[in-house]
Amino acid sequence: MAPQDHRITLLGKPGCHLCDDARAVIERVATELGVPWEERDITASAEDHAKYWEMIPVTLIDGVQHDFWRVDERRLRAALGA
């Protein structure tokens, strides 16, 4: 798969400084590689909150958990095939 065939999802919550750091890395990599991405607020979903509360920020690639707490740019690029 080409990088742009993937989709990144960042799960976080407002006021989370680790989420801000993760967002910056994801935005940079996604923009450079042309990968679509979205951000979901776990406080808006009881299911997301229950599943991910202690791990945010969580990075999903194509709906599968890839990382949590910190986003390693090299791992993210590798997972996207870049």
Side-chain angles (χ1 to χ4, degrees):
M1 289 179 82
Q4 60 271 25
D5 294 331
H6 294 284
R7 180 173 197 82
I8 302 168
T9 304
L10 171 62
L11 303 175
K13 71 178 185 90
C16 167
H17 72 281
L18 291 177
C19 300
D20 295 340
D21 295 344
R23 184 182 308 105
V25 173
I26 290 170
E27 187 169 36
R28 179 174 52 250
V29 171
T31 299
E32 181 182 318
L33 300 177
V35 178
W37 75 283
E38 66 179 342
E39 186 168 354
R40 284 193 340 231
D41 177 355
I42 68 162
T43 64
S45 163
E47 182 179 342
D48 283 349
H49 188 275
K51 187 171 182 177
Y52 298 111
W53 177 251
E54 293 183 9
M55 294 188 290
I56 61 167
V58 175
T59 307
L60 309 177
I61 297 177
D62 301 326
V64 177
Q65 185 175 335
H66 169 71
D67 245 331
F68 63 97
W69 291 337
R70 303 239 184 243
V71 177
D72 182 282
E73 187 168 338
R74 288 181 302 181
R75 277 181 33 87
L76 180 59
R77 287 178 182 279
L80 296 169

